[in-house]
Amino acid sequence: MNDTVLILGACGQIGIELTQKLRILYGSNNVIASDIREGGEEMLSSGPFEIIDATSKERILEVVKKYEVTQVYLMAAMLSATAEKYPLKGWDLNMTSLLAVLEIAREKHIKKVYWPSSMASFGPTSPKINTPQQTIMEPSTVYGISKVAGEHWCNYYHEKYGVDVRSIRYPGIISWKTLPGGGTTDYAVDIYFDALKKGTFECFLSENTRLPMMYMDDAINATIQIMQADADKIKTRTSYNLAAMSFTPKEIANEIKKYIPDFTIAYNPDFRQDIADSWPQIIDDSHARQDWGWQHEFDLTSMTKDIITNLKSKL
Protein backbone atom coordinates (compact mmCIF):
# COMPACT_ATOMS: atom_id res chain seq x y z
CA MET A 1 0.00 0.00 0.00
CA ASN A 2 1.31 3.44 -0.92
CA ASP A 3 1.75 6.06 1.77
CA THR A 4 -0.47 9.12 1.89
CA VAL A 5 1.04 12.06 3.77
CA LEU A 6 -0.61 14.96 5.58
CA ILE A 7 1.52 18.00 6.43
CA LEU A 8 0.16 20.26 9.17
CA GLY A 9 1.72 23.74 9.03
CA ALA A 10 2.71 23.39 5.38
CA CYS A 11 2.97 27.17 4.92
CA GLY A 12 5.77 27.57 7.46
CA GLN A 13 9.47 28.02 6.72
CA ILE A 14 10.21 24.27 6.66
CA GLY A 15 6.70 23.17 5.61
CA ILE A 16 6.79 24.85 2.19
CA GLU A 17 9.97 23.12 1.06
CA LEU A 18 9.10 19.83 2.78
CA THR A 19 5.80 19.74 0.88
CA GLN A 20 7.57 20.24 -2.47
CA LYS A 21 10.09 17.47 -1.76
CA LEU A 22 7.48 14.99 -0.49
CA ARG A 23 5.27 15.59 -3.54
CA ILE A 24 8.20 14.69 -5.78
CA LEU A 25 8.82 11.51 -3.74
CA TYR A 26 5.28 10.26 -3.13
CA GLY A 27 3.34 11.86 -5.99
CA SER A 28 1.46 15.15 -5.83
CA ASN A 29 -1.96 13.66 -5.04
CA ASN A 30 -0.54 11.59 -2.16
CA VAL A 31 0.73 14.59 -0.19
CA ILE A 32 -1.96 16.77 1.39
CA ALA A 33 -0.70 20.17 2.44
CA SER A 34 -2.60 22.06 5.13
CA ASP A 35 -2.41 25.19 7.25
CA ILE A 36 -4.67 27.56 9.13
CA ARG A 37 -4.48 29.90 6.12
CA GLU A 38 -4.44 29.27 2.38
CA GLY A 39 -1.10 28.40 0.82
CA GLY A 40 0.69 30.12 -2.04
CA GLU A 41 -0.01 29.57 -5.72
CA GLU A 42 2.65 26.88 -6.18
CA MET A 43 1.40 24.86 -3.21
CA LEU A 44 -2.26 25.09 -4.24
CA SER A 45 -1.58 24.18 -7.87
CA SER A 46 0.78 21.27 -7.17
CA GLY A 47 -1.51 19.07 -5.07
CA PRO A 48 -4.35 18.85 -2.53
CA PHE A 49 -4.65 21.57 0.12
CA GLU A 50 -6.91 21.76 3.17
CA ILE A 51 -7.51 24.52 5.72
CA ILE A 52 -6.81 22.94 9.13
CA ASP A 53 -6.45 24.42 12.60
CA ALA A 54 -3.74 22.11 14.00
CA THR A 55 -5.27 22.32 17.48
CA SER A 56 -8.52 20.74 16.24
CA LYS A 57 -8.34 16.97 16.56
CA GLU A 58 -11.77 16.65 14.90
CA ARG A 59 -10.70 18.58 11.81
CA ILE A 60 -7.38 16.70 11.48
CA LEU A 61 -9.21 13.36 11.78
CA GLU A 62 -11.77 14.43 9.19
CA VAL A 63 -8.98 15.07 6.65
CA VAL A 64 -7.10 11.89 7.67
CA LYS A 65 -10.22 9.83 6.90
CA LYS A 66 -11.05 11.74 3.70
CA TYR A 67 -7.66 10.99 2.10
CA GLU A 68 -6.86 7.72 3.97
CA VAL A 69 -3.70 9.34 5.37
CA THR A 70 -0.99 7.01 6.71
CA GLN A 71 1.65 9.54 7.84
CA VAL A 72 1.39 12.95 9.49
CA TYR A 73 4.17 15.55 9.58
CA LEU A 74 3.22 18.04 12.31
CA MET A 75 5.13 21.21 11.38
CA ALA A 76 2.72 23.75 12.91
CA ALA A 77 4.33 25.61 15.82
CA MET A 78 4.91 29.01 17.37
CA LEU A 79 8.67 29.61 17.36
CA SER A 80 10.97 30.97 20.07
CA ALA A 81 10.87 34.75 19.67
CA THR A 82 7.14 34.87 18.83
CA ALA A 83 6.19 32.53 21.68
CA GLU A 84 7.99 34.79 24.17
CA LYS A 85 5.56 37.55 23.17
CA TYR A 86 2.49 35.27 23.39
CA PRO A 87 3.48 32.55 25.90
CA LEU A 88 0.07 30.98 26.51
CA LYS A 89 -0.82 30.97 22.82
CA GLY A 90 2.57 29.42 22.06
CA TRP A 91 2.09 26.67 24.65
CA ASP A 92 -1.46 25.97 23.49
CA LEU A 93 -0.59 25.64 19.80
CA ASN A 94 2.56 23.59 20.36
CA MET A 95 1.05 21.16 22.88
CA THR A 96 -2.57 20.80 21.75
CA SER A 97 -1.58 20.04 18.16
CA LEU A 98 0.91 17.35 19.22
CA LEU A 99 -1.49 15.62 21.60
CA ALA A 100 -4.24 15.70 18.93
CA VAL A 101 -2.00 13.91 16.41
CA LEU A 102 -0.64 11.42 18.97
CA GLU A 103 -4.21 10.52 19.95
CA ILE A 104 -5.16 9.98 16.30
CA ALA A 105 -2.15 7.66 15.99
CA ARG A 106 -3.04 5.85 19.23
CA GLU A 107 -6.51 5.23 17.81
CA LYS A 108 -4.79 3.60 14.78
CA HIS A 109 -6.08 6.08 12.19
CA ILE A 110 -2.48 6.74 11.05
CA LYS A 111 0.69 4.62 11.11
CA LYS A 112 3.50 7.12 11.55
CA VAL A 113 4.03 10.61 13.01
CA TYR A 114 6.81 13.16 12.55
CA TRP A 115 7.12 15.98 15.09
CA PRO A 116 10.08 18.37 15.20
CA SER A 117 11.81 19.34 18.41
CA SER A 118 14.55 21.96 18.62
CA MET A 119 17.87 22.88 20.20
CA ALA A 120 15.67 25.27 22.24
CA SER A 121 14.86 22.24 24.40
CA PHE A 122 18.30 22.75 25.95
CA GLY A 123 18.82 25.59 28.42
CA PRO A 124 21.44 27.66 30.26
CA THR A 125 22.52 24.66 32.39
CA SER A 126 23.04 22.31 29.41
CA PRO A 127 26.63 21.82 28.21
CA LYS A 128 27.32 24.40 25.48
CA ILE A 129 30.04 22.56 23.56
CA ASN A 130 29.28 19.13 22.05
CA THR A 131 25.88 19.08 23.76
CA PRO A 132 25.15 15.35 24.21
CA GLN A 133 22.03 13.47 23.13
CA GLN A 134 21.08 12.94 26.78
CA THR A 135 21.91 15.77 29.16
CA ILE A 136 20.42 18.39 31.50
CA MET A 137 17.44 20.07 29.81
CA GLU A 138 16.15 23.14 31.65
CA PRO A 139 14.94 25.52 28.91
CA SER A 140 14.25 29.16 29.72
CA THR A 141 11.78 29.87 26.88
CA VAL A 142 8.15 28.88 26.35
CA TYR A 143 9.13 27.33 23.03
CA GLY A 144 11.84 25.27 24.70
CA ILE A 145 9.54 24.18 27.54
CA SER A 146 6.94 23.02 25.00
CA LYS A 147 9.60 21.08 23.08
CA VAL A 148 10.91 19.23 26.16
CA ALA A 149 7.35 18.38 27.20
CA GLY A 150 6.56 17.29 23.63
CA GLU A 151 9.60 15.02 23.47
CA HIS A 152 8.44 13.18 26.58
CA TRP A 153 4.86 12.90 25.27
CA CYS A 154 6.28 11.33 22.08
CA ASN A 155 8.31 8.83 24.09
CA TYR A 156 5.31 8.11 26.34
CA TYR A 157 2.98 7.38 23.41
CA HIS A 158 5.63 5.13 21.87
CA GLU A 159 6.31 3.19 25.09
CA LYS A 160 2.69 3.01 26.27
CA TYR A 161 0.74 2.63 23.03
CA GLY A 162 3.33 1.62 20.42
CA VAL A 163 2.88 4.83 18.41
CA ASP A 164 5.59 5.13 15.72
CA VAL A 165 6.53 8.76 16.34
CA ARG A 166 9.89 10.18 15.21
CA SER A 167 11.58 13.47 15.99
CA ILE A 168 14.63 15.64 15.35
CA ARG A 169 15.97 18.55 17.42
CA TYR A 170 16.53 21.10 14.66
CA PRO A 171 19.32 23.64 14.93
CA GLY A 172 18.77 27.05 13.28
CA ILE A 173 17.44 26.50 9.74
CA ILE A 174 18.59 28.71 6.84
CA SER A 175 16.81 29.01 3.49
CA TRP A 176 16.75 31.47 0.59
CA LYS A 177 13.37 30.26 -0.72
CA THR A 178 11.13 30.97 2.27
CA LEU A 179 11.21 33.75 4.82
CA PRO A 180 11.71 32.86 8.50
CA GLY A 181 8.86 32.67 10.99
CA GLY A 182 9.88 34.35 14.24
CA GLY A 183 12.88 32.39 15.48
CA THR A 184 16.05 33.52 17.24
CA THR A 185 18.28 32.22 14.42
CA ASP A 186 16.37 34.21 11.76
CA TYR A 187 19.24 36.69 11.41
CA ALA A 188 21.14 34.08 9.40
CA VAL A 189 18.39 34.15 6.76
CA ASP A 190 17.76 37.93 6.77
CA ILE A 191 21.47 38.76 6.48
CA TYR A 192 21.67 37.33 2.93
CA PHE A 193 18.61 39.25 1.72
CA ASP A 194 19.83 42.54 3.22
CA ALA A 195 23.38 42.01 1.96
CA LEU A 196 22.14 41.78 -1.63
CA LYS A 197 19.37 44.41 -1.37
CA LYS A 198 20.98 47.06 0.88
CA GLY A 199 24.63 46.11 1.26
CA THR A 200 24.27 46.43 5.03
CA PHE A 201 22.67 44.51 7.91
CA GLU A 202 21.76 45.23 11.54
CA CYS A 203 22.09 42.06 13.60
CA PHE A 204 19.99 41.45 16.74
CA LEU A 205 22.71 39.17 18.17
CA SER A 206 26.27 40.08 19.19
CA GLU A 207 29.07 39.33 16.74
CA ASN A 208 30.52 36.30 18.57
CA THR A 209 27.24 34.48 19.34
CA ARG A 210 27.97 30.95 18.12
CA LEU A 211 24.90 28.82 17.32
CA PRO A 212 24.31 25.48 15.59
CA MET A 213 22.88 25.99 12.10
CA MET A 214 21.77 23.95 9.10
CA TYR A 215 20.95 24.64 5.46
CA MET A 216 17.34 23.89 4.55
CA ASP A 217 18.32 21.20 2.02
CA ASP A 218 20.00 19.21 4.80
CA ALA A 219 17.08 19.74 7.20
CA ILE A 220 14.55 18.45 4.64
CA ASN A 221 16.74 15.45 3.80
CA ALA A 222 17.15 14.55 7.48
CA THR A 223 13.40 14.86 8.09
CA ILE A 224 12.51 12.50 5.25
CA GLN A 225 15.40 10.15 6.03
CA ILE A 226 14.33 9.57 9.64
CA MET A 227 10.75 8.91 8.50
CA GLN A 228 11.87 6.41 5.85
CA ALA A 229 14.27 4.56 8.16
CA ASP A 230 13.29 1.11 9.43
CA ALA A 231 11.54 1.34 12.79
CA ASP A 232 14.16 -0.82 14.52
CA LYS A 233 16.85 1.75 13.66
CA ILE A 234 15.05 4.49 15.62
CA LYS A 235 16.51 3.94 19.08
CA THR A 236 15.61 7.37 20.48
CA ARG A 237 11.91 8.19 20.79
CA THR A 238 12.22 11.55 22.52
CA SER A 239 14.12 13.41 19.78
CA TYR A 240 17.46 13.11 18.00
CA ASN A 241 20.17 15.77 18.16
CA LEU A 242 20.93 17.03 14.65
CA ALA A 243 23.86 19.17 13.55
CA ALA A 244 25.70 20.41 10.48
CA MET A 245 27.68 23.59 11.24
CA SER A 246 28.10 26.22 13.96
CA PHE A 247 29.04 29.84 13.28
CA THR A 248 28.80 33.42 14.59
CA PRO A 249 27.26 36.51 12.93
CA LYS A 250 30.81 37.79 12.36
CA GLU A 251 31.81 34.58 10.56
CA ILE A 252 28.77 34.59 8.27
CA ALA A 253 29.39 38.29 7.49
CA ASN A 254 33.00 37.53 6.53
CA GLU A 255 31.81 34.76 4.23
CA ILE A 256 29.34 37.14 2.53
CA LYS A 257 32.12 39.72 2.02
CA LYS A 258 33.85 37.25 -0.32
CA TYR A 259 30.98 37.92 -2.75
CA ILE A 260 29.98 41.46 -1.67
CA PRO A 261 33.24 43.15 -0.54
CA ASP A 262 31.52 46.41 0.53
CA PHE A 263 29.01 44.63 2.79
CA THR A 264 28.81 46.12 6.29
CA ILE A 265 27.21 44.77 9.48
CA ALA A 266 26.20 46.48 12.75
CA TYR A 267 25.34 44.72 16.01
CA ASN A 268 22.37 45.77 18.14
CA PRO A 269 21.46 42.86 20.46
CA ASP A 270 17.83 42.74 21.68
CA PHE A 271 15.78 40.28 23.79
CA ARG A 272 16.74 37.46 21.45
CA GLN A 273 20.33 37.65 22.71
CA ASP A 274 19.25 36.16 26.06
CA ILE A 275 17.51 33.33 24.22
CA ALA A 276 20.59 32.62 22.08
CA ASP A 277 22.88 32.70 25.13
CA SER A 278 20.82 29.91 26.72
CA TRP A 279 21.32 27.55 23.76
CA PRO A 280 24.16 25.18 22.73
CA GLN A 281 27.04 26.38 20.54
CA ILE A 282 28.01 23.00 19.09
CA ILE A 283 25.76 19.91 19.17
CA ASP A 284 26.85 16.26 19.26
CA ASP A 285 24.59 14.37 16.83
CA SER A 286 26.53 11.08 16.77
CA HIS A 287 23.40 9.06 17.71
CA ALA A 288 21.57 10.18 14.55
CA ARG A 289 24.64 9.39 12.46
CA GLN A 290 25.05 5.93 14.00
CA ASP A 291 21.38 4.88 14.21
CA TRP A 292 19.92 5.95 10.87
CA GLY A 293 22.91 7.14 8.85
CA TRP A 294 22.51 10.92 9.02
CA GLN A 295 25.12 12.94 7.09
CA HIS A 296 25.05 16.66 6.29
CA GLU A 297 26.11 18.04 2.91
CA PHE A 298 26.49 21.80 3.42
CA ASP A 299 28.93 23.86 5.51
CA LEU A 300 29.05 27.66 5.82
CA THR A 301 31.18 28.13 2.69
CA SER A 302 29.13 25.91 0.36
CA MET A 303 25.82 27.19 1.78
CA THR A 304 26.78 30.85 1.28
CA LYS A 305 27.80 30.20 -2.33
CA ASP A 306 24.50 28.41 -3.02
CA ILE A 307 22.34 31.07 -1.35
CA ILE A 308 24.00 34.07 -3.02
CA THR A 309 23.93 32.39 -6.45
CA ASN A 310 20.20 31.65 -6.10
CA LEU A 311 19.22 34.95 -4.49
CA LYS A 312 20.96 37.01 -7.19
CA SER A 313 18.72 35.44 -9.84
CA LYS A 314 15.63 35.63 -7.59
CA LEU A 315 16.04 39.29 -6.56
Side-chain angles (χ1 to χ4, degrees):
M1 178 184 166
N2 291 331
D3 278 307
T4 304
V5 177
L6 170 63
I7 303 168
L8 298 165
C11 296
Q13 187 196 13
I14 298 175
I16 290 172
E17 297 190 45
L18 179 63
T19 301
Q20 291 169 350
K21 188 73 180 277
L22 286 171
R23 282 180 170 166
I24 292 166
L25 283 174
Y26 290 104
S28 295
N29 291 329
N30 296 322
V31 178
I32 297 86
S34 76
D35 211 304
I36 199 162
R37 65 185 192 279
E38 199 168 79
E41 188 181 333
E42 186 179 2
M43 186 174 287
L44 294 175
S45 63
S46 65
F49 186 90
E50 296 279 345
I51 298 286
I52 299 179
D53 177 348
T55 63
S56 170
K57 183 194 171 195
E58 293 74 21
R59 176 65 180 139
I60 299 169
L61 186 55
E62 182 186 332
V63 173
V64 163
K65 288 178 176 177
K66 177 180 174 180
Y67 293 96
E68 298 182 352
V69 168
T70 57
Q71 297 183 17
V72 172
Y73 286 72
L74 172 51
M75 309 307 292
M78 191 179 288
L79 302 184
S80 58
T82 310
E84 287 306 289
K85 295 176 184 174
Y86 310 103
L88 296 184
K89 283 184 180 177
W91 173 262
D92 182 51
L93 170 59
N94 296 354
M95 284 293 94
T96 307
S97 58
L98 173 59
L99 288 168
V101 172
L102 289 174
E103 275 293 288
I104 290 169
R106 181 183 68 80
E107 293 163 358
K108 303 284 193 282
H109 296 293
I110 51 177
K111 293 179 178 177
K112 204 183 286 187
V113 175
Y114 177 79
W115 175 81
S117 187
S118 163
M119 66 174 175
S121 55
F122 300 111
T125 55
S126 305
K128 292 276 191 286
I129 307 296
N130 294 328
T131 311
Q133 175 64 44
Q134 291 178 300
T135 188
I136 298 165
M137 301 176 82
E138 298 178 328
S140 55
T141 63
V142 172
Y143 181 59
I145 294 166
S146 73
K147 288 302 181 186
V148 170
E151 287 188 18
H152 289 286
W153 276 119
C154 288
N155 190 61
Y156 181 84
Y157 269 77
H158 176 72
E159 295 290 331
K160 187 98 173 173
Y161 308 118
V163 170
D164 188 356
V165 56
R166 305 171 183 207
S167 179
I168 284 169
R169 292 173 186 148
Y170 288 128
I173 306 294
I174 302 169
S175 167
W176 61 269
K177 291 181 187 174
T178 50
L179 293 171
T184 300
T185 56
D186 287 357
Y187 89 86
V189 178
D190 294 332
I191 191 171
Y192 288 103
F193 283 86
D194 281 8
L196 283 163
K197 285 180 179 175
K198 306 174 190 173
T200 185
F201 180 68
E202 185 174 309
C203 186
F204 55 70
L205 299 180
S206 64
E207 65 178 0
N208 294 318
T209 305
R210 184 172 301 281
L211 288 170
M213 299 283 194
M214 180 172 288
Y215 197 29
M216 180 67 83
D217 296 40
D218 279 335
I220 299 295
N221 288 340
T223 303
I224 294 169
Q225 189 182 347
I226 193 174
M227 281 294 271
Q228 291 183 338
D230 293 339
D232 59 358
K233 289 185 177 175
I234 310 301
K235 314 286 188 194
T236 297
R237 293 290 181 163
T238 47
S239 190
Y240 275 97
N241 278 4
L242 198 73
M245 51 185 140
S246 289
F247 55 76
T248 66
K250 188 176 182 180
E251 287 168 355
I252 195 173
N254 288 338
E255 205 62 42
I256 289 170
K257 283 177 186 175
K258 293 178 183 176
Y259 300 88
I260 308 167
D262 297 333
F263 173 66
T264 59
I265 184 168
Y267 302 96
N268 186 18
D270 64 13
F271 74 98
R272 288 167 284 197
Q273 184 67 50
D274 288 338
I275 298 175
D277 288 341
S278 74
W279 289 352
Q281 295 178 14
I282 300 167
I283 287 173
D284 174 4
D285 65 350
S286 53
H287 284 250
R289 293 176 188 270
Q290 288 162 12
D291 290 359
W292 43 276
W294 158 243
Q295 286 182 306
H296 69 282
E297 185 182 340
F298 287 89
D299 60 12
L300 178 56
T301 302
S302 55
M303 176 184 75
T304 299
K305 182 183 179 184
D306 197 63
I307 291 175
I308 287 181
T309 303
N310 282 293
L311 272 188
K312 275 183 176 174
S313 56
K314 181 184 179 181
L315 297 174

